[in-house]
Amino acid sequence: MTVHSPARFDVIDDELLEEAEGRRFSRAIGPAVALVAWIFVYLVGLLGLWVALVSSATGWHPVVITSGSMSPVLRVGDVILIEDHPDELLGQRSVITFERDGEVITHRIFEVEASQETYVTKGDANPTPDTDRVPADAVIGVARLVVPLIGLPLVWYQTGQTVPLAAMGILSLAALAFGGGRTRQGLGGFRSTIMDGTSGVADQAVRRVRLLIAVMIASQYIIDSSRLAIDGLEVSPTTLLVLSLAWLGATNFVSIRFPVDSYGWLVSVGQLLADTVLVVFLTTATGGSGIGWVLTAVPIIEAAVRFRLAGALVHWMLMAIAAILGRLWMLGRIASSTVSTIDELEQLLDQMSVLLLVIVPGAFLAEQLMGDVLVQRRATMEALDRGRLLENVAEVGHEVTKIGSALFETLTVSAVELGFDSVDVWTRRRDGTWALIGQAGNDATLALPQPGATGSGLRYIDLVYAEVLVDQRDHDDAEWEALEENGLSYLLRITLASGETMVVLRGAGASGTELDGDKVEALRLLCGQAAVAIHNQDLVGELQQLHSQLEHQALHDALTELPNRSFFLRELNRELLPEARAALDPGRNKWVLFLDLDGFKPVNDQLGHDVGDELLREVARQLVDVVGTSGLVARLGGDEFTILLPDADKAMANETAAAVHRSLSAPITLGPDIVQVGSSIGIAAYEPGVDTSELLRRADTAMYAAKQSRGRLAHYDPSLDEADVARQRLIEDFERALASNGLSLVYQPLVSVPRRMIVGAEVLLRWDHPELGRLSPELVLETAERADRVGDLNRWIIDNALRDLGSLQLADDDDFTLAVNASPAELESAELIPNLRRALAETGLPPQRLIVELSERIVAAGDDLSDIIAQLMELGIVLSLDDFGEGKTSLGHLRRLPVRQLKLDRELVRQACNNEIDRIIFRSVVELGHGLGLEVVAEGVETADQMRTVVQAGAELVQGYGLFRPMGVDRLAQLLRVEGRSVIADRLGLNMAPVPTATAAARIEPPAVAAGQEPTWPDP
């Protein structure tokens, strides 16, 4: 049976993965266990050895604590080193050993009785001092050094505790065996540690360590130079700093000049010795308060880098002994007192003990670092070897992936060069038959099994796998025997392409050859590049077809399939070339028609974008039908189209434009909807000196003129440019007027009929142009839109209106309101809501005093106003529906809009006085508003008949020239005084009785006008 990939290769890869995982586990857990073992060996063995060395060097006597307690200083099992009692008296806090009742006791001096030469002692754990005095001559010695717990085996032996003693012996042997084994395995010996190829990395690391020492010494000199002073010598800290830095620099120079790789491990030992001498010298010279003891950690790390964990521990022990003995010598040389000597020695021992806490972990990390460097170095060498092979594969792959190359010939020859004795390539057709498309080999007599045969790797059951391997490990004997019969030892099949057409490569080795992983990986990479080449060749045709499609998409409109702007400009530029113009007959020219649909936006908004898209497609079809082959139709974007007539006279251009207009003016059926749009068409002809962009601009200008004049067709004329210049000049004048307060606001009062008083006013914009006179608000807003200053104009209106409202000094309970019109451009401006919020906050006026009037035209246009309305409502601003009655708003709009006022159009008011039918309609509209809970405002009231009509219909709010003309804020303030409000009833023109009020200043009612009497209308 054939062993398939991923089955065979997965098994091999899984075994390697498990082995790698085991190594990773061993590297992660083994060093940690070895570290624990080394710590144990250190505590038991190295510390014991250290005690012996210190005792022999100093003459101090080791004593094991077997009972009692001086916790936390001394415990059972601790070893203390005792120095003979000095001649002079000791100081307080010294730990002394003396004999009492035949037992050696260790206590601390609590008090010194100098007159009697006796000591008062006290155990650290005792609450009170001892009652017995200890004569100075009875003191056996003074404790100099405490080594924790290494005396426990002796205590266990003396007390007969065999179990812990045996356990410790077994644990010691195991720790020595494991820790030593791990060290030998990881290091391979002292010389191999230095000469294993990592010395260059170690040299660089050690040089950086020396730089660190230099920085630390210099920093300490800057912070506290006294810590670099040498006791008993007239050497300044500056001199010591210079000597130390010079020493380190010289050592680094020697390290660079004589690297370990070239001069052997003795150079490494010499460098470590030089660094150690410097640190011991600083420690000896400056004591525990200097910087030397801190720098002791640096040579330890250097020793760990050079000689691993064992070397680091041994080096620490020797360096600590040297530093302690050196400091004792220095203290003796300067004749330091015993108390001072003891204090400083205790400080130095404490500091060395703290240093011990970082030595073992630091050495452990250094050992792991060097181990990782070794592993990475070996991995790098292996990667380099594999890289050379892959580089060769890449060179071959470059040839393989070339489009149009002899792909399969190159592929098979390259596979043979990789070490395969016979290689072939087969393709499987759609009918299931196989065809040989490439073959190469070192031995022409070697024949690979035919596809479908046993051992071929191309049986039916093999085709579902990307790779198939057949060799002597195959558990299907028939497969292996088939290879042996053909003189082969293995066969590897790799699929290059699959799908409707399959392409496979087979590589085989002659009998006696083996298949190794590097060869397989190289062939896989080569086949991968060949697969890419096959795929690329298949894609060439598809890419060419795709390129044509993309080019078409780039030059055509996706919605209508008409040529787009780029295509149109390219063709227009080509038609304007001199040779194209020279081919025209006399009287004929190049014409551009610029077309814009009229009424497209309402269709798009009311019926939806899908209907709008279908309308554009239908317009495109009609344009193509009208123009035919005589011109080019293009869509520039939105509802703008252009027509190029490359060879036509003026009559033909006019007829084409008229035919387009007639076609687009007819009703268009779009599914269940019937729509009707129009068109505005601008016509421009080529003139000498006119380029592509200018000709298109002229046609656009003519189209705008046609739209403005509602003539629907217009030829370009230079005078049209003058209109553009005038519009631009007006824009500049507007910006100056906006900046210099050249604009103004006027207010038309709003009268409440039931209350017979002014309850509000509508804000109206005025611009008195110095040359053109007073301009309409519509023209002002249009100019602001062209200048892109709608937001600035909106801010100016809001700020000045609210400022004027504040200047009226209305009472807090007054419900006087200001109504501000909101144009479509203002509603679309992102600055409307921020302007309102800021102005209300600055003036402190209640937001309910501000009414925003939404034009019926805006609502009927179908724009989504939900967001802006929600934000206005959130601010607390009142909404009003303006111009109601123009016939553009449905009842559905009233139902869904949260308006509080319904403002009836002036035309609806005027028609209500014409006949009874219009009066009934007007009354119905008023009742409708009341039924919806809205206030009804009748605007445009100019005559007494109109006044009676709207009042009798029930409109409670009235506005118009018949009551008040627009006025400045000063005149409005005057009207709001008592005298102004007292004439309101006269202006109503109705026979109404006065309404008594509690506050005369608020409402003073005038006599009612007699029935049938026509009021006078003074201009306020």
Side-chain angles (χ1 to χ4, degrees):
M1 177 180 178
T2 304
V3 178
H4 305 283
S5 176
R8 166 63 57 81
F9 293 118
D10 281 353
V11 170
I12 298 175
D13 293 342
D14 287 344
E15 292 174 354
L16 295 176
L17 182 61
E18 291 177 0
E19 181 180 351
E21 290 291 343
R23 288 198 300 268
R24 281 196 290 268
F25 179 80
S26 176
R27 287 181 54 80
I29 302 301
V33 176
L35 175 62
V36 174
W38 266 113
I39 292 175
F40 182 82
V41 171
Y42 166 76
L43 291 175
V44 176
L46 293 184
L47 288 182
L49 178 60
W50 192 44
V51 169
L53 290 176
V54 173
S55 298
S56 61
T58 61
W60 298 344
H61 312 294
V63 176
V64 179
I65 304 298
T66 58
S67 63
S69 173
M70 290 184 67
S71 178
V73 178
L74 297 176
R75 296 171 298 271
V76 174
D78 290 351
V79 175
I80 60 174
L81 296 178
I82 303 298
E83 182 184 14
D84 291 339
H85 183 272
D87 295 335
E88 70 275 8
L89 289 177
L90 299 173
Q92 192 178 11
R93 293 185 296 106
S94 298
V95 177
I96 60 175
T97 300
F98 55 91
E99 186 174 352
R100 177 181 292 169
D101 299 332
E103 182 181 5
V104 177
I105 298 176
T106 301
H107 274 190
R108 189 177 299 277
I109 296 177
F110 181 75
E111 183 181 353
V112 179
E113 296 177 341
S115 60
Q116 301 178 11
E117 294 190 355
T118 59
Y119 303 123
V120 178
T121 60
K122 175 182 176 296
D124 286 356
N126 297 336
T128 59
D130 299 336
T131 57
D132 296 337
R133 301 297 190 266
V134 178
D137 55 2
V139 174
I140 299 175
V142 183
R144 293 301 192 192
L145 185 64
V146 178
V147 181
L149 299 178
I150 64 170
L152 275 176
L154 181 60
V155 175
W156 292 336
Y157 176 76
Q158 292 178 349
T159 57
Q161 300 182 49
T162 57
V163 173
L165 191 62
M168 185 170 184
I170 296 174
L171 186 60
S172 300
L173 293 176
L176 285 172
F178 184 80
R182 287 289 303 183
T183 302
R184 288 192 303 273
Q185 179 182 0
L187 307 182
F190 181 75
R191 286 183 58 84
S192 64
T193 301
I194 303 301
M195 304 300 292
D196 59 5
T198 64
S199 54
V201 178
D203 282 345
Q204 186 176 10
V206 171
R207 285 194 294 270
R208 292 177 179 176
V209 168
R210 294 193 190 98
L211 290 177
L212 176 62
I213 296 177
V215 171
M216 294 178 68
I217 295 175
S219 300
Q220 185 57 58
Y221 175 81
I222 295 173
I223 296 172
D224 184 7
S225 62
S226 63
R227 297 190 67 181
L228 293 179
I230 299 180
D231 298 331
L233 295 179
E234 295 298 331
V235 178
S236 67
T238 304
T239 303
L240 184 59
L241 173 67
V242 173
L243 292 176
S244 301
L245 296 182
W247 183 294
L248 292 172
T251 308
N252 261 358
F253 174 77
V254 171
S255 174
I256 297 174
R257 184 67 178 82
F258 304 101
V260 175
D261 288 337
S262 303
Y263 295 93
W265 63 272
L266 286 177
V267 176
S268 177
V269 174
Q271 294 172 1
L272 176 61
L273 181 61
D275 295 333
T276 303
V277 168
L278 174 62
V279 172
V280 171
F281 169 73
L282 290 175
T283 304
T284 300
T286 60
S289 60
I291 196 174
W293 76 272
V294 179
L295 300 181
T296 306
V298 181
I300 300 302
I301 297 175
E302 182 179 348
V305 172
R306 296 294 193 191
F307 310 115
R308 306 292 198 242
L309 181 61
L313 292 174
V314 172
H315 187 71
W316 178 88
M317 181 176 64
L318 296 177
M319 188 168 56
I321 294 174
I324 293 173
L325 296 180
R327 187 57 186 170
L328 284 174
W329 173 82
M330 177 63 74
L331 293 175
R333 185 176 180 278
I334 62 177
S336 175
S337 66
T338 302
V339 174
S340 298
T341 301
I342 293 174
D343 289 342
E344 185 162 349
L345 188 58
E346 285 184 351
Q347 179 186 4
L348 185 59
L349 291 177
D350 290 342
Q351 292 169 345
M352 298 298 289
S353 299
V354 173
L355 185 63
L356 175 63
L357 298 177
V358 299
I359 291 304
V360 174
F364 168 71
L365 292 176
E367 179 177 342
Q368 294 306 301
L369 175 62
M370 292 304 297
D372 290 341
V373 170
L374 289 174
V375 172
Q376 292 297 329
R377 187 176 183 86
R378 286 194 293 267
T380 301
M381 297 303 297
E382 294 175 358
L384 289 175
D385 295 338
R386 296 177 62 190
R388 296 187 186 95
L389 176 63
L390 297 179
E391 184 178 356
N392 296 333
V393 173
E395 293 178 358
V396 175
H398 180 70
E399 297 296 325
V400 168
T401 54
K402 286 183 178 179
I403 301 297
S405 64
L407 170 62
F408 300 111
E409 178 181 354
T410 304
L411 179 62
T412 53
V413 172
S414 300
V416 171
E417 292 176 353
L418 290 177
F420 293 88
D421 295 307
S422 181
V423 181
D424 60 14
V425 180
W426 293 81
T427 180
R428 186 171 182 264
R429 306 185 184 94
R430 296 183 180 182
D431 59 2
T433 59
W434 292 90
L436 182 66
I437 57 176
Q439 188 174 18
N442 295 324
D443 188 349
T445 62
L446 290 177
L448 276 64
Q450 292 295 310
T454 303
S456 64
L458 292 175
R459 294 185 303 169
Y460 179 76
I461 60 174
D462 298 334
L463 300 181
V464 297
Y465 298 99
E467 296 179 1
V468 173
L469 174 64
V470 182
D471 61 9
Q472 61 183 356
R473 294 170 293 181
D474 203 310
H475 56 274
D476 189 343
D477 294 338
E479 295 281 320
W480 167 239
E481 291 173 359
L483 290 183
E484 279 191 317
E485 291 176 0
N486 289 3
L488 303 174
S489 62
Y490 64 86
L491 182 146
L492 175 63
R493 191 267 294 166
I494 300 177
T495 300
L496 304 180
S498 58
E500 295 182 354
T501 301
M502 176 178 285
V503 180
V504 299
L505 176 141
R506 298 189 302 173
S511 297
T513 60
E514 294 183 358
L515 179 65
D516 58 65
D518 289 342
K519 187 186 299 183
V520 172
E521 184 177 359
L523 184 61
R524 283 176 175 171
L525 292 174
L526 189 60
C527 289
Q529 299 196 33
V532 172
I534 295 173
H535 184 63
N536 289 342
Q537 290 180 353
D538 293 339
L539 287 178
V540 168
E542 297 179 12
L543 290 175
Q544 292 175 346
Q545 181 180 1
L546 180 61
H547 178 267
S548 300
Q549 295 175 354
L550 292 176
E551 185 178 14
H552 181 272
Q553 294 175 2
L555 297 176
H556 289 76
D557 176 53
L559 178 63
T560 63
E561 290 297 322
L562 290 177
N564 60 12
R565 178 184 291 270
S566 299
F567 189 103
F568 182 82
L569 293 177
R570 187 185 68 180
E571 292 301 312
L572 180 58
N573 186 66
R574 184 180 302 166
E575 290 295 334
L576 296 185
L577 293 175
E579 54 269 24
R581 300 197 311 272
L584 292 174
D585 294 333
R588 304 179 76 86
N589 203 345
K590 311 287 184 181
W591 297 83
V592 172
L593 280 63
F594 200 107
L595 179 150
D596 181 82
L597 296 181
D598 298 329
F600 171 73
K601 190 175 186 302
V603 174
N604 203 38
D605 293 338
Q606 296 175 16
L607 301 180
H609 293 285
D610 292 339
V611 177
D613 291 346
E614 183 58 34
L615 173 60
L616 292 175
R617 284 190 287 266
E618 178 59 28
V619 169
R621 285 191 291 269
Q622 293 188 19
L623 291 177
V624 172
D625 291 341
V626 171
V627 176
T629 60
S630 62
L632 173 67
V633 180
R635 181 190 178 206
L636 299 189
D639 59 346
E640 294 181 341
F641 297 84
T642 52
I643 300 173
L644 171 63
L645 300 178
D647 187 3
D649 55 21
K650 186 174 183 179
M652 185 181 299
N654 290 337
E655 177 57 31
T656 301
V660 168
H661 182 67
R662 287 193 302 269
S663 177
L664 297 182
S665 297
I668 299 175
T669 301
L670 302 174
D673 302 307
I674 299 178
V675 300
Q676 187 169 8
V677 295
S679 61
S680 299
I681 304 175
I683 306 171
Y686 169 78
E687 294 180 2
V690 174
D691 58 10
T692 301
S693 59
E694 175 61 18
L695 183 56
L696 189 62
R697 186 199 67 81
R698 290 184 174 188
D700 185 18
T701 302
M703 183 276 295
Y704 182 79
K707 187 178 290 291
Q708 290 293 103
S709 64
R710 300 186 180 274
R712 303 311 178 194
L713 299 176
H715 277 266
Y716 169 77
D717 187 85
S719 61
L720 298 179
D721 291 335
E722 297 178 1
D724 284 342
V725 172
R727 283 192 294 269
Q728 183 60 36
R729 186 180 299 114
L730 188 61
I731 291 175
E732 296 173 356
D733 293 343
F734 169 77
E735 292 183 343
R736 284 193 293 270
L738 185 62
S740 61
N741 286 327
L743 306 177
S744 62
L745 296 179
V746 294
Y747 303 89
Q748 187 171 28
L750 182 67
V751 176
S752 171
V753 175
R755 298 169 58 185
R756 304 176 189 178
M757 63 180 298
I758 298 175
V759 294
E762 180 179 0
V763 181
L764 300 174
L765 177 65
R766 293 289 185 265
W767 181 18
D768 294 324
H769 194 277
E771 299 177 2
L772 304 178
R774 175 166 295 180
L775 304 181
S776 66
E778 291 78 9
L779 180 57
V780 176
L781 183 59
E782 178 184 341
T783 305
E785 292 181 19
R786 288 179 174 273
D788 195 21
R789 299 292 297 275
V790 173
D792 296 334
L793 177 61
N794 172 264
R795 181 170 58 252
W796 185 89
I797 293 174
I798 292 173
D799 289 349
N800 285 274
L802 291 183
R803 183 197 62 198
D804 291 346
L805 179 60
S807 68
L808 298 178
Q809 298 181 355
L810 301 172
D812 292 340
D813 58 350
D814 200 322
D815 56 357
F816 185 87
T817 60
L818 273 187
V820 180
N821 290 282
S823 67
E826 288 176 301
L827 289 175
E828 293 173 0
S829 173
E831 301 178 39
L832 175 61
I833 298 301
N835 288 340
L836 288 169
R837 183 180 290 111
R838 176 189 50 76
L840 289 171
E842 290 178 355
T843 59
L845 294 173
Q848 60 270 19
R849 285 191 174 177
L850 187 62
I851 299 177
V852 173
E853 295 185 354
L854 305 177
S855 172
E856 187 188 37
R857 300 182 184 89
I858 301 174
V859 177
D863 294 334
D864 186 7
L865 303 176
S866 57
D867 290 342
I868 189 69
I869 289 177
Q871 295 181 64
L872 290 172
M873 296 292 292
E874 183 180 353
L875 288 177
I877 295 173
V878 179
L879 299 182
S880 174
L881 181 59
D882 195 13
D883 300 327
F884 188 80
E886 286 188 336
K888 294 183 172 59
T889 309
S890 68
L891 297 179
H893 292 126
L894 291 177
R895 185 176 64 253
R896 64 182 173 85
L897 287 174
V899 296
R900 198 180 77 181
Q901 281 187 357
L902 189 63
K903 203 166 187 180
L904 304 184
D905 184 64
R906 65 181 66 248
E907 186 64 21
L908 187 64
V909 172
R910 186 185 63 79
Q911 292 177 356
C913 297
N914 293 340
N915 53 65
E916 186 63 25
I917 295 177
D918 290 332
R919 189 175 295 108
I920 293 173
I921 294 175
F922 182 82
R923 187 182 301 114
S924 299
V925 173
V926 174
E927 292 176 355
L928 172 64
H930 290 160
L932 294 174
L934 306 177
E935 293 179 344
V936 178
V937 183
E939 64 176 343
V941 176
E942 298 179 355
T943 67
D945 288 340
Q946 293 176 0
M947 180 65 68
R948 293 190 186 92
T949 300
V950 298
V951 171
Q952 291 171 0
E956 61 266 46
L957 298 173
V958 185
Q959 177 184 348
Y961 276 29
L963 294 170
F964 297 100
R965 293 178 178 274
M967 61 190 68
V969 66
D970 295 337
R971 177 58 179 147
L972 178 62
Q974 180 182 357
L975 273 180
L976 294 181
R977 297 193 189 99
V978 175
E979 295 80 3
R981 293 196 179 188
S982 66
V983 299
I984 293 175
D986 292 335
R987 294 177 181 273
L988 293 177
L990 301 176
N991 185 11
M992 290 182 281
V995 179
T997 58
T999 306
R1003 295 191 181 98
I1004 300 178
E1005 303 300 341
V1009 179
Q1013 180 180 351
E1014 293 291 336
T1016 58
W1017 308 102
D1019 188 5

